[in-house]
Amino acid sequence: MIAATALAEAGRDPFGAAREAAAIARAAAAATDRDGAFPQAGMDALRRTGLLGLIVPVELGGYGATYATAIEIAQILSGACLSTSMLWSMHCQQVAILVDHGPSPLREALLRRVAAGDLLIASVTSEPTKGGHLLSAMAALERTDDGFAIDREAPVVTAGMQADGLLITMRRSPEATPSEIVLVYADRDELQRTEAGGWHTMGMRGTSSVPMHLAGRVPADRLVDPEGGFRRLAVTTMIPAGHLMWTACWLGAAKEAYRQLMHVLRTPELRRGYPLKSDLYAERIARVRLDIDLVEALLLAVAADYERLRATHGTRHEPFEDYAFNIRLNELKVAAAERLFAAVDAIVQLAGLRFGYRVQDETTIERIFRDLRSASLMFANDRLLVTNGKFALVDASL
Amino acid sequence: MSYPDRDFIEVLTRHLKYLKAPEDLTLDGELRGLGLDSKDAVDLLLDIEDLYGVVFPDDLLNDRTFATAGSLWQAIESTRGPGAGQ
């Protein structure tokens, strides 16, 4: 009731909601990072403000936001706590799959719960023998009398223990090949979730991306299985939404580090000793700004490409398989991971030991540096570059 | 508006590479014409902020502030607040 009133009063302003949630996430960010704890306060704020349902259609209780808006919201949250915003972005990616491909009435039932702040969805795609390869699955879904049985290992599940529901990739049946994948939704109560290890990392320490074993049974109506199968769902929604949202998160974090550097350099008591009159120093600042602006320009361009494709073709499969589109999508992720980390590395250098490297109260640059180191590992750059190199050989559009 | 103090004149003239003699500086002369380009203006800004221990608010960080010695002094006064340095 309180949540509903707050939403009405806010006039469904997702930016105000994001600033409110960001303030809460920011206050908890240092402890989240230090303790490697799930960012409960920030995630609760995202539930309370309705932002779990940012891209849920208005008629189902959501904000009905476009990707352009989601990209801005992700940046607002990321400046406060990158763990919180990445958890939220991954959830949004799962929501996007349901919005675009969920079968009725499962779609509507789940999305209403999302918009009400009651359903945080985690993604389960990794498997021990295939690593992060998205378009294959090993563990097979087994038919039962009234539905399906799930029994599966997953080496990395972000928020797997905290989520209210999970979207899980499975091999369609024991007879199916690894490329015959189906996505299954399970509520947390329907699964036995065993945490099979911890999450002790350099950065992104709040994301609780633990190894898990999942076992349970779900009713027969839980398959998210559009015509064209998992591949269609992946290329039209899952991959583009993921790359756009993660890039937005990293961009927001890098901008925050940049703003903090500027805060130091624009404050007379803090900037003593920094060589602000040096041309070399100015050039280094300029290069940081250049990297951030380049990534932002690419992000906005690719997001516009994606929205245009959706406006023209809906979620029809073929247009999204276009080599040039996929090369650009992969380039966005690779460029963002490389350039934004390089930018924050340079910011550490510019801010120096005192405000760049050291943990103190004026800046969080060292934490952002550690967090952003993950960007090239998540949905690994190496693999995307190999794909792009191969695609380039057969794409004549440039 | 009070008259600019000596420290201000001294810092300002250091950044005006085409100013021949300090007495040629007037309150309403174009600083750009005296050699202050927008890049130099940032160096001047930092010196002035350090001199008076103030931070110019964002809405004063524009060409108009750095147009003349008078406009710049006015910006310093408004940033320091009434009665400062008296």
Side-chain angles (χ1 to χ4, degrees):
Chain A
M1 200 56 216
I2 292 168
T5 311
L7 282 179
E9 280 172 3
R12 304 300 286 169
D13 166 24
F15 297 97
R19 284 190 290 272
E20 182 189 331
I24 292 166
R26 185 182 297 276
T32 293
D33 175 61
R34 187 189 58 229
D35 304 337
F38 185 76
Q40 197 64 53
M43 295 309 291
D44 285 349
L46 291 168
R47 288 177 190 269
R48 205 165 52 239
T49 52
L51 284 175
L52 289 191
L54 181 70
I55 60 170
V56 170
V58 173
E59 62 270 22
L60 296 174
Y63 284 91
T66 61
Y67 280 98
T69 299
I71 282 166
E72 291 192 49
I73 300 292
Q75 291 184 62
I76 293 171
L77 299 173
S78 303
C81 173
L82 192 54
S83 285
T84 304
S85 69
M86 191 56 79
L87 286 165
W88 172 80
S89 291
M90 291 175 141
H91 158 85
C92 286
Q93 182 195 33
Q94 305 309 301
V95 172
I97 292 168
L98 291 174
V99 169
D100 288 353
H101 304 284
S104 291
L106 179 71
R107 173 182 184 271
E108 289 72 23
L110 294 180
L111 291 177
R112 281 185 200 283
R113 285 171 60 196
V114 168
D118 296 330
L119 181 57
L120 175 70
I121 307 176
S123 167
V124 184
T125 57
S126 65
E127 271 189 279
T129 49
K130 63 157 199 172
H133 195 280
L134 185 64
L135 295 171
S136 69
M138 297 300 162
L141 205 56
E142 302 261 7
R143 259 227 96 102
T144 61
D145 291 344
D146 53 356
F148 299 98
I150 296 166
D151 192 337
R152 184 191 197 289
E153 302 291 336
V156 190
V157 186
T158 296
M161 295 304 286
Q162 292 83 7
D164 309 296
L166 298 97
L167 274 168
I168 306 163
T169 55
M170 298 290 293
R171 193 150 55 94
R172 186 176 287 281
S173 69
E175 299 77 38
T177 66
S179 65
E180 293 176 65
I181 308 165
V182 67
L183 195 61
V184 189
Y185 175 80
D187 265 334
R188 61 183 300 164
D189 298 343
E190 293 164 337
L191 293 174
Q192 198 169 29
R193 297 183 292 177
T194 314
E195 196 170 335
W199 175 248
H200 307 296
T201 51
M202 175 191 287
M204 302 304 295
R205 292 172 50 75
T207 60
S208 299
S209 304
V210 294
M212 292 178 82
H213 177 249
L214 304 170
R217 284 163 187 268
V218 296
D221 65 354
R222 294 298 181 73
L223 301 189
V224 180
D225 188 23
E227 196 187 320
F230 183 77
R231 183 170 179 86
R232 172 171 166 219
L233 174 163
V235 299
T236 61
T237 306
M238 191 176 195
I239 296 170
H243 286 200
L244 291 173
M245 294 301 287
W246 301 340
T247 297
C249 285
W250 299 326
L251 178 63
K255 282 184 182 175
E256 175 69 15
Y258 170 88
R259 282 193 297 268
Q260 292 179 357
L261 173 67
M262 289 306 132
H263 161 71
V264 169
L265 300 181
R266 290 289 292 117
T267 307
E269 335 42 295
L270 302 180
R271 71 176 172 229
R272 283 187 206 112
Y274 289 102
L276 293 184
K277 302 284 174 64
S278 150
D279 285 353
L280 178 63
Y281 197 78
E283 188 187 314
R284 286 179 175 173
I285 292 175
R287 289 196 177 280
V288 167
R289 176 77 178 231
L290 174 65
D291 277 338
I292 292 172
D293 280 342
L294 280 174
V295 171
E296 176 148 41
L298 189 58
L299 172 60
L300 297 179
V302 174
D305 283 354
Y306 180 52
E307 298 266 34
R308 215 168 13 248
L309 272 179
R310 292 168 62 86
T312 313
H313 303 288
T315 58
R316 201 161 62 77
H317 195 179
E318 295 74 17
F320 294 86
E321 296 272 13
D322 177 52
Y323 288 126
F325 173 66
N326 282 283
I327 287 173
R328 274 165 68 79
L329 204 52
N330 290 342
E331 282 174 346
L332 171 66
K333 194 270 155 185
V334 170
E338 288 184 353
R339 296 328 304 159
L340 296 174
F341 177 70
V344 174
D345 186 26
I347 288 171
V348 171
Q349 192 73 28
L350 288 164
L353 278 172
R354 188 164 160 223
F355 292 122
Y357 192 70
R358 187 165 154 251
V359 179
Q360 27 67 47
D361 293 332
E362 290 293 339
T363 78
T364 58
I365 292 169
E366 67 82 31
R367 185 178 81 226
I368 294 171
F369 174 84
R370 286 185 286 106
D371 284 346
L372 268 184
R373 183 60 187 84
S374 68
S376 64
L377 305 172
M378 215 175 118
F379 218 92
N381 277 14
D382 293 346
R383 191 195 311 246
L384 296 175
L385 286 168
V386 170
T387 301
N388 274 12
K390 307 278 185 194
F391 282 4
L393 292 172
V394 288
D395 172 53
S397 70
L398 190 68
Chain B
M1 187 173 91
S2 64
Y3 201 73
D5 62 33
R6 265 165 74 141
D7 292 340
F8 171 75
I9 303 292
E10 203 238 311
V11 168
L12 177 59
T13 51
R14 245 195 285 142
H15 289 272
L16 301 176
K17 48 185 176 285
Y18 302 145
L19 183 72
K20 291 199 188 77
E23 49 275 23
D24 293 345
L25 184 66
T26 61
L27 275 180
D28 54 2
E30 288 284 331
L31 296 180
R32 195 173 283 272
L34 296 172
L36 187 80
D37 64 24
S38 46
K39 184 163 65 69
D40 302 327
V42 175
D43 288 338
L44 171 59
L45 167 78
L46 295 172
D47 281 345
I48 284 174
E49 285 184 340
D50 288 343
L51 173 64
Y52 295 108
V54 296
V55 181
F56 274 38
D58 291 348
D59 60 357
L60 288 179
L61 299 178
N62 56 47
D63 267 8
R64 284 191 306 283
T65 295
F66 296 93
T68 66
S71 63
L72 183 54
W73 179 249
Q74 201 165 16
I76 294 167
E77 291 218 301
S78 80
T79 304
R80 293 165 88 194
Q86 299 283 312

